[in-house]
């Protein structure tokens, strides 16, 4: 492709509203343009990268026996109402009505649609298992779109869904898809980890996120320094034994703590340690208010609270709800003398506290010498806190360290989460009607582009890996007014195209400095400069990733390029 015939609007200045390097470079190098907040157009270079990412995904999906389909983005509300997610998914679901006031949603995901499709077509176990995928735009009304393609309101996604007659069949496909994802991200050249994760609004159990390691990642990964264990911090189990103090339990008593509301303030005021305090929070689990306790130096993990309570949706109770339940303000809450109807969930660390400190459910008052079991009852003890760096790894090997990551893929064992409410059933080998057992497997395709852009860059621009580079070779005649340079550049361009290389020819009548700056910014793997030695049939060649430069003769170009791209 000749640059004068395509659309590559490069920028010299960094856009002021672009927060991270990948977003800045994608804009500056002319790969994307923003239409409105969280919504982007992909320009020719960006579209070519997307197509290459899609090709790798398609090849690995087909190798995993997943078959491509294409489903509607506009989904009727009735399906989401059948699954229950119309009410629980939240404000990110983009809802609209047609001229007849019939409600629809723009597809944030396609579990409902694919289940309704299969329930009308697959009636026998003999047609299972079946694995279908699509690559399609998704829509989510993000409260705060940010980081360019990493968190948008419209984005390209690969979503796959598998249907099974048995749990064993799902387990087999899950492992096949997990390996397919590993193959995809390896082929893309990404530094990534497969981590244990929470299923969120999708539902189901047993799932893994594929996280690209990056300092700008919005997710924290907890991983072992001595094993392959890795988990999203929300899902990392805490495997800690808490020693019980041998001090004698004291007498429960109230003390005044005026204006002392945080754990740090109360601990300092009472001259005690934060780990001796019991942190008390009120959560709304679906429609029920529950009390959750942790040690003062620990942080409550709301994902674990959701699992412990069995709720579909968990959120912090509003101050007015807390006031109505316990008749006091947040900052003086505690588990002593709670209404009998209130369920109390406590982290395991709380059980070992002797002579602790907690709020008295009276403003400006705390209890001292609080002892679990004697002074308050607990409905259930569970792992409810976030893991911390330095904690033992849950697999028993090494200790936990943290890293930041960008989620690019997520795989789930859905089970019957959708098939039961949507009545997706088949007849098993004994003629009994059974719900499909399902799996779900997603990759953020446009997010992958941004993740690759984040990992493959330097101070001058992109350093695209060959697998996804928009072109393989950038031919740059320094001076298009020079007949020998122009003709040799055109000759080289034609030769490489004839030998199936993907080539971008910079035939613009621009200064050499502009051409070289744009070439580094765009970041194609190989740049061939046609300059002063054109009359001798000699080119300067630069490897964009390594920065190495060479001189090649015209007769050696094809063989040398073949060696580079075969390695």
């Amino acid at each position: 492709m000749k640059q004068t015939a395509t659309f590559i609007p490069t920028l010299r200045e960094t856009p002021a509203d672009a927060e991270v390097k990948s977003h800045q470079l994608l804009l500056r190098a002319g790969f994307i343009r923003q239409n409105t907040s969280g919504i982007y157009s992909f320009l020719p270079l960006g579209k070519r990268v997307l197509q290459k990412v899609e090709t790798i995904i398609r090849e690995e999906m087909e190798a995993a026996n997943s078959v491509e389909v294409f489903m509607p983005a506009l989904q009727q509300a009735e399906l989401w109402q059948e699954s229950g997610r119309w009410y629980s998914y939240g404000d990110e679901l983009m809802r609209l009505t047609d001229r007849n006031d019939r409600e629809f949603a723009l597809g944030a995901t396609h579990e409902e649609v694919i289940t309704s499709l299969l329930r009308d077509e697959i009636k026998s176990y003999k047609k299972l298992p079946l694995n279908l995928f699509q690559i399609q735009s998704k829509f989510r009304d993000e409260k705060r779109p940010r980081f360019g393609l990493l968190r948008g309101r419209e984005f390209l996604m690969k979503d796959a869904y598998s249907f099974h007659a048995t749990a064993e069949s799902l387990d087999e496909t899950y492992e096949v898809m997990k390996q397919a994802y590993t193959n995809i991200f390896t082929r893309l050249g990404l530094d990534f980890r497969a981590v244990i994760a929470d299923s969120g609004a999708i539902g189901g159990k047993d799932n893994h996120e594929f996280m690209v390691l990056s300092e700008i990642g919005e997710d924290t990964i907890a991983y072992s320094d001595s094993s392959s264990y890795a988990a999203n911090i929300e899902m990392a189990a805490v495997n800690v034994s808490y020693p019980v103090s041998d001090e004698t339990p004291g007498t429960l008593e109230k003390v005044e703590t005026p204006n002392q509301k945080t754990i740090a303030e109360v601990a300092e005021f009472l001259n005690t340690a934060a780990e001796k305090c019991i942190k008390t929070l009120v959560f709304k689990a679906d429609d029920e208010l529950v009390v959750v306790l942790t040690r003062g130096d620990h942080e409550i993990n709301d994902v674990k609270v959701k699992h412990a309570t069995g709720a579909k949706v968990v959120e912090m109770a509003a101050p007015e709800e807390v006031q109505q339940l316990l008749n006091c303000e947040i900052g003086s809450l505690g588990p002593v003398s709670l209404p009998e109807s209130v369920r109390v969930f406590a982290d395991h660390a709380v059980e070992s506290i002797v002579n602790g400190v907690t709020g008295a459910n009276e403003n400006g008052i705390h209890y001292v010498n609080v002892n679990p079991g004697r002074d308050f009852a607990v409905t259930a003890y569970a792992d409810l806190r976030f893991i911390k760096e330095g904690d033992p790894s849950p697999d028993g090997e090494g200790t936990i360290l943290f890293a930041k990551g960008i989620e690019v893929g997520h795989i789930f064992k859905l089970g019957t989460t959708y098939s039961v409410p949507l009545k997706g059933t088949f007849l098993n080998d004994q003629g009994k009607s059974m719900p499909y057992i399902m799996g779900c497997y997603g990759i953020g395709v446009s997010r992958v582009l941004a993740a690759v852009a984040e990992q493959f860059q330097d101070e001058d621009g992109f350093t695209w890996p060959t697998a996804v580079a928009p072109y393989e070779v950038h031919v740059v005649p320094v001076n298009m007014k020079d007949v020998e340079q122009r003709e040799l550049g055109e000759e080289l361009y034609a030769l490489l195209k004839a030998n199936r290389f993907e080539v971008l020819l910079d035939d613009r009548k621009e200064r050499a400095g502009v051409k070289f700056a744009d070439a580094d910014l765009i970041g194609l793997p190989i740049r061939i400069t046609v300059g002063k030695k054109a009359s001798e049939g000699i080119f300067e060649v630069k490897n964009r990733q390594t920065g190495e430069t060479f001189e090649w003769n015209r007769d050696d170009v094809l063989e040398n390029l073949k060696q580079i791209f075969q390695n």
Side-chain angles (χ1 to χ4, degrees), residues 169-354:
S169 174
L170 171 59
D171 291 343
E172 291 174 5
T173 295
Y174 187 87
E175 291 303 318
V176 169
M177 294 294 279
K178 186 178 177 184
Q179 184 59 53
Y181 274 43
T182 299
N183 296 344
I184 288 167
F185 299 124
T186 299
R187 288 178 62 182
L188 291 168
L190 291 166
D191 183 9
F192 70 96
R193 299 288 188 278
V195 305
I196 301 167
D198 177 52
S199 57
I202 300 296
K205 297 180 179 180
D206 295 341
N207 60 95
H208 286 80
E209 286 176 335
F210 287 78
M211 308 288 288
V212 172
L213 302 188
S214 171
E215 292 181 358
I216 69 160
E218 294 184 289
D219 294 298
T220 300
I221 303 166
Y223 68 97
S224 169
D225 63 359
S226 303
S227 73
S228 61
Y229 177 84
N232 189 301
I233 192 173
E234 295 175 333
M235 291 298 293
V238 174
N239 185 20
V240 176
S241 296
Y242 301 98
V244 179
S245 170
D246 58 1
E247 64 180 291
T248 302
T251 302
L252 181 70
E253 60 178 302
K254 291 181 179 180
V255 295
E256 293 187 3
T257 52
N259 301 317
Q260 311 300 308
K261 294 185 178 182
T262 69
I263 292 293
E265 289 171 346
V266 171
E268 182 178 4
F269 185 82
L270 297 177
N271 194 27
T272 189
E275 54 263 35
K276 293 279 283 185
C277 298
I278 299 174
K279 184 185 300 182
T280 304
L281 294 177
V282 179
F283 282 83
K284 192 172 185 178
D286 292 337
D287 293 325
E288 178 190 6
L289 294 179
V290 300
V291 169
V292 180
L293 312 176
T294 60
R295 209 168 70 182
D297 59 331
H298 294 158
E299 292 298 323
I300 293 174
N301 182 331
D302 57 351
V303 171
K304 292 181 178 180
V305 171
K306 183 178 73 171
H307 293 164
T309 59
K312 290 184 178 180
V313 178
V314 164
E315 58 187 358
M316 290 289 296
E320 58 270 21
E321 292 175 314
V322 174
Q323 180 72 36
Q324 186 175 1
L325 179 70
L326 301 178
N327 198 32
C328 74
E329 297 176 0
I330 295 171
S332 297
L333 304 182
V336 179
S337 301
L338 291 176
E340 291 185 5
S341 60
V342 176
R343 291 197 294 166
V344 178
F345 296 86
D347 183 72
H348 292 302
V350 172
E351 195 170 11
S352 67
I353 291 177
V354 177

Side-chain angles (χ1 to χ4, degrees), residues 498-536:
N499 283 270
R500 297 182 180 276
F501 285 100
E502 297 175 344
V503 191
L504 182 65
L505 173 65
D506 190 347
D507 60 337
R508 298 175 299 164
K509 295 177 182 179
E510 289 281 3
R511 292 179 292 106
V514 171
K515 290 190 170 192
F516 293 148
D518 281 352
D520 282 340
L521 186 59
I522 293 168
L524 304 186
I526 295 295
R527 184 180 83 200
I528 299 179
T529 301
V530 183
K532 294 180 180 180
K533 294 187 178 181
S535 59
E536 303 172 46

